[in-house]
Amino acid sequence: MIKAAYPGSFDPITHGHRDLVERAARQFDEVVVAIANNINKKTMFSIEERVDLASAVLAHLDNVTVAPVTGLIVDFTEQLGATAILRGLRAVSDFEFEFQLASMNRNLKPEIETLFMTPAEQYSYISSSLVKEVARFNGDVSMFLHPLVLEQLQQKLAQA
Ligand code: ADP
């Protein structure tokens, strides 16, 4: 039974994240999407909203669950009984930070392996932050988000 944790902010979940989880769900027995509750990082959606949106978008995948995480990802991963941390790589620009993170996590817990996956080409340049920025200026981001996520993003922007 091979379990993997896929950590991130998911603020909010995009088709890039969804694509990665669908690929991972075919490779692992179980995937846990770990939504970081980092008080130092200002997010548009609360931890509860991010968990609810990701759960709705990923509901079609039987071996995928979504959970909030407060502490260290390596500790969460170990407690789950998972052996891998999954991260997505888009362009070369992601590499430097991901390399640092993977090296730090290996230092903290050598038995946990960080694995990288790439999304389908059409999602290789999208990020939650870019999608939010474009939406803020009324750009059409419907091709990058689940309809429920799009609706809640539009509601947030209307309240702002
Ligand atoms: P973080 O704040 O930890 O970077 P994100 O929610 O932005 O959290 O991303 C979580 C993970 O998903 C990261 O490994 C990130 O590189 C990856 N990711 C984000 N968007 C995409 C995408 N479009 N395609 C592939 N991976 C992605």
Side-chain angles (χ1 to χ4, degrees):
M1 172 95 178
I2 306 181
K3 251 191 201 182
Y6 176 34
S9 312
F10 301 94
D11 184 41
I13 186 165
T14 66
H15 283 344
H17 296 123
R18 199 243 318 127
D19 180 81
L20 218 78
V21 177
E22 284 174 351
R23 286 168 200 282
R26 293 195 287 269
Q27 302 301 325
F28 297 93
D29 296 302
E30 205 180 319
V31 177
V32 180
V33 176
I35 309 214
N37 190 9
N38 182 348
I39 46 166
N40 294 321
K41 203 162 174 177
K42 207 177 150 13
T43 55
M44 176 182 265
F45 292 89
S46 71
I47 182 71
E48 292 81 13
E49 289 168 331
R50 286 180 282 139
V51 167
D52 287 351
L53 287 175
S55 303
V57 170
L58 303 171
H60 61 296
L61 300 165
D62 289 343
N63 58 342
V64 173
T65 51
V66 179
V69 184
T70 306
L72 282 177
I73 293 301
V74 282
D75 290 338
F76 175 83
T77 307
E78 187 178 49
Q79 280 153 23
L80 276 181
T83 49
I85 293 176
L86 281 181
R87 294 286 288 176
L89 274 186
R90 287 159 291 193
V92 183
S93 51
D94 275 342
F95 180 80
E96 201 159 320
F97 177 66
E98 293 296 337
F99 180 73
Q100 279 186 348
L101 199 62
S103 306
M104 175 58 80
N105 284 336
R106 173 174 284 162
N107 210 57
L108 293 170
K109 286 224 193 289
E111 60 280 15
I112 294 176
E113 208 60 54
T114 299
L115 303 176
F116 297 103
M117 296 181 67
T118 55
E121 245 165 72
Q122 70 267 35
Y123 306 131
S124 63
Y125 59 95
I126 66 165
S127 64
S128 301
S129 9
L130 187 57
V131 165
K132 284 182 286 190
E133 201 169 318
V134 171
R136 209 167 266 134
F137 295 106
N138 296 318
D140 180 11
V141 290
S142 58
M143 64 290 254
F144 304 126
L145 301 173
H146 183 284
L148 180 67
V149 179
L150 181 67
E151 186 194 308
Q152 297 217 6
L153 175 60
Q154 283 165 344
Q155 270 179 29
K156 284 270 176 204
L157 292 170
Q159 286 161 13

